[in-house]
Amino acid sequence: MGIRIDPWDYRLIQEYDKLITVFGIQPIDKVEHYELLNHHFFKRRIVFGHRDLDKWLEALSKGERVAVLTGFMPSGTPHLGTAMVFEELKFFQSIGAHVKVVIADAEAYAVRREDRETTIRWGLEFIKHAIAWGVDPEKAEFYFQTAMRDSYYRLIQMFSRKVTLAEMEAIYGDLSPAKVMSALTQVADILHLQLDEFGGYRYVLVPVGVDQDPHIRLARDVADRFEGELGLKRPSSTYHKLLRGLDGNKMSKSRPEFAIFLDDDEDVVKKKIAMALTGGRATAEEQRRLGGEPWKCMVYELYTYFLLSDDELREITESCVKGRILCGECKRLAYSKLIERLREHKKRYKEVSEKVDLDRTVKTPSF
C-alpha cells in the first residue's frame, strides 16, 4: 500500500525515509550551503528534507532578496507543534530572510467549518504567540486570506485555468469544492510574493510539516505553467517531522489531552507529562538492567525538539539506554525544563498583548 499524504488529515506520518524516495524530497544534509543552517532542528534532522533549498540558500548567500512564507490554521490555541514553525521563522529571520505569515481563515471557514468571528480571534492569537516566541514583527508581515487585495484573488482564478480536477485528485485524493478552492488559495499564498506589488521576492521558501507537501507540489507545477505569463519560479520548501502527541500519535488541537498548549496551566502540563508514553521497560529492575528505549519516548521527543542542548541531550540519552535514569525522574526533569520555557513565553505573550499594535501589524477581515 502506497504512502498517502493528506493536508487535512489528522493521522501521523512517520515513514520519512520513504517520503524521500516516493515524492522526491531531498535529504536536508545533502543541501549545498548546509553550513548556513546553524540550528539544532537541522543538525538533529527534525527538519529532514527539502525541495530546491540550495537555490534559495545560494540567493541568500549572494545578498539577493529572499522570503519565507508559511501559514497557520486559526482554530484554537497554538501548541508545541505550532511552536516548531515559530522557531523556524525566527531562525530564518536571523539569517536575513523576510518572513510572511498567512492566517488561513478562508480555509478554516470552508474546510474546517469554523465561524468567521472565531477565525479572526484565533488568527490574532496566533500572531501574538508567534511574536512572543521570537518572530520579529519589524521583519515580518502577517495577513488573513480574506483580507487581501484583488490581485491576490485574481491569481486563484488564473491558476484554476491550468489545473485539472484529475491532477488535483492525484495529489490530494478525494476532494470537495471547498478543498479545491482551499488548495488553489494556498497556491496563491505560496506564489504571490513573487509579484512586484507584493515585494517581488523571486526566491520564496516554504517551511512546513511534511503533511503539507501536496500544496507545495501543486504550487511548483503551477509556477512552471505560469513562468512565461507571470514570471513565476518554483518555490523552495523544507519539511520538518511532525511532533507527536503525548500518546505517540499526531499532536493536534483536536486531541487536547495529548497536546501541550502554549497557554496550558502548570498543573495541566504536569498531569500531561505524567501520563506521557515513554520508552521505559515493564519494571524498574528491568530498565536498570536493559536500559530504556528513548526513540520510543514522547518525553525524549520534547527534549530533542525544545528542551536540551546537544551536550545535555547526549547525557540524557546515555543515562536512559544504560539504565541510569528511570522514567519518573526523567519526567520530572522534562516538566521543570518545559515549565521554565512556557513561563518565559507567557511573560513575553503578555508583553506582546499589551504593547504590540496589531491594528498596525495586520489587516483583519471586514466581514
Side-chain angles (χ1 to χ4, degrees):
M1 185 175 180
I3 302 174
R4 178 172 174 263
I5 301 179
D6 182 344
W8 298 290
D9 198 4
Y10 294 106
R11 288 177 293 184
L12 180 68
I13 298 170
Q14 297 192 79
E15 298 171 300
Y16 297 108
D17 291 339
K18 289 185 179 180
L19 295 175
I20 289 175
T21 302
V22 174
F23 294 110
I25 295 172
Q26 299 299 305
I28 195 67
D29 57 335
K30 303 298 183 184
V31 70
E32 294 183 35
H33 302 287
Y34 181 72
E35 70 280 358
L36 295 175
L37 303 175
N38 187 25
H39 190 284
H40 72 271
F41 276 11
F42 299 96
K43 291 187 291 183
R44 298 178 186 177
R45 304 297 184 268
I46 294 169
V47 178
F48 71 93
H50 74 96
R51 296 187 193 274
D52 288 340
L53 178 59
D54 48 350
K55 295 179 181 179
W56 188 87
L57 289 172
E58 177 71 14
L60 175 69
S61 68
K62 290 180 177 179
E64 298 188 41
R65 296 172 72 245
V66 299
V68 172
L69 182 286
T70 198
F72 301 102
M73 183 73 69
S75 58
T77 304
H79 53 60
L80 287 177
T82 319
M84 289 177 58
V85 184
F86 297 160
E87 184 69 20
E88 291 177 72
L89 295 177
K90 186 172 81 170
F91 167 73
F92 285 123
Q93 281 187 327
S94 75
I95 62 174
H98 176 72
V99 161
K100 194 163 187 178
V101 176
V102 51
I103 302 300
D105 63 316
E107 183 176 2
Y109 177 82
V111 179
R112 306 292 191 194
R113 298 189 175 276
E114 301 281 355
D115 67 76
R116 298 288 294 124
E117 290 185 1
T118 298
T119 61
I120 295 172
R121 184 176 75 253
W122 286 121
L124 293 173
E125 283 297 302
F126 268 69
I127 293 169
K128 288 190 285 186
H129 278 287
I131 296 171
W133 195 268
V135 176
D136 185 349
E138 299 301 321
K139 299 177 182 178
E141 297 176 75
F142 302 90
Y143 73 96
F144 287 78
Q145 288 173 325
T146 60
M148 291 291 278
R149 64 188 76 160
D150 292 348
S151 50
Y152 165 87
Y153 303 113
R154 192 176 303 121
L155 285 177
I156 301 171
Q157 306 303 317
M158 293 178 70
F159 292 163
S160 69
R161 173 174 170 168
K162 298 186 181 182
V163 178
T164 68
L165 183 59
E167 177 186 11
M168 293 191 70
E169 287 175 339
I171 294 174
Y172 292 99
D174 294 336
L175 287 171
S176 65
K179 288 183 177 180
V180 170
M181 285 303 300
S182 293
L184 292 173
T185 302
Q186 290 230 16
V187 174
D189 290 324
I190 293 168
L191 298 178
H192 79 280
L193 273 166
Q194 297 186 39
L195 302 183
D196 289 340
E197 66 178 290
F198 292 109
Y201 293 95
R202 299 295 184 251
Y203 297 92
V204 177
L205 173 67
V206 188
V208 291
V210 72
D211 58 333
Q212 300 300 304
D213 185 53
H215 297 315
I216 305 296
R217 282 184 271 138
L218 181 60
R220 287 165 63 86
D221 288 344
V222 169
D224 288 346
R225 294 162 198 176
F226 281 89
E227 183 176 8
E229 189 171 352
L230 297 177
L232 299 179
K233 299 169 65 73
R234 286 185 170 191
S236 303
S237 53
T238 59
Y239 301 94
H240 58 252
K241 296 176 181 178
L242 301 176
L243 181 66
R244 290 180 287 179
L246 298 173
D247 64 342
N249 296 307
K250 184 178 179 180
M251 186 173 288
S252 170
K253 292 187 286 288
S254 65
R255 303 169 59 250
E257 65 272 28
F258 302 115
I260 294 183
F261 295 90
L262 301 185
D263 63 354
D264 270 344
D265 291 335
E266 293 185 11
D267 60 336
V268 172
V269 175
K270 188 173 185 177
K271 290 176 182 177
K272 288 180 177 180
I273 292 291
M275 53 76 68
L277 180 69
T278 72
R281 303 291 181 173
T283 66
E285 187 279 328
E286 187 178 349
Q287 185 156 334
R288 291 190 181 96
R289 179 167 51 87
L290 298 177
E293 299 174 291
W295 50 90
K296 296 181 180 180
C297 179
M298 300 307 101
V299 174
Y300 184 79
E301 194 154 303
L302 293 176
Y303 285 147
T304 304
Y305 281 62
F306 292 110
L307 302 181
L308 296 184
S309 67
D310 290 345
D311 289 342
E312 290 172 326
L313 188 62
R314 279 192 292 269
E315 181 178 346
I316 201 74
T317 304
E318 182 176 317
S319 295
C320 179
V321 298
K322 292 187 176 180
R324 295 200 299 258
I325 187 171
L326 300 180
C327 295
E329 180 184 354
C330 196
K331 286 181 174 181
R332 288 190 291 274
L333 175 63
Y335 169 74
S336 66
K337 293 277 187 181
L338 182 56
I339 285 300
E340 182 180 349
R341 187 77 182 262
L342 291 179
R343 282 176 182 167
E344 183 61 30
H345 176 76
K346 290 175 183 178
K347 177 182 176 183
R348 289 197 294 263
Y349 173 84
K350 183 179 179 181
E351 293 171 353
V352 169
S353 299
E354 293 172 349
K355 297 178 181 178
V356 175
D357 183 3
L358 285 184
D359 290 334
R360 184 176 66 86
T361 304
V362 60
K363 178 182 178 183
T364 57
S366 59
F367 66 92

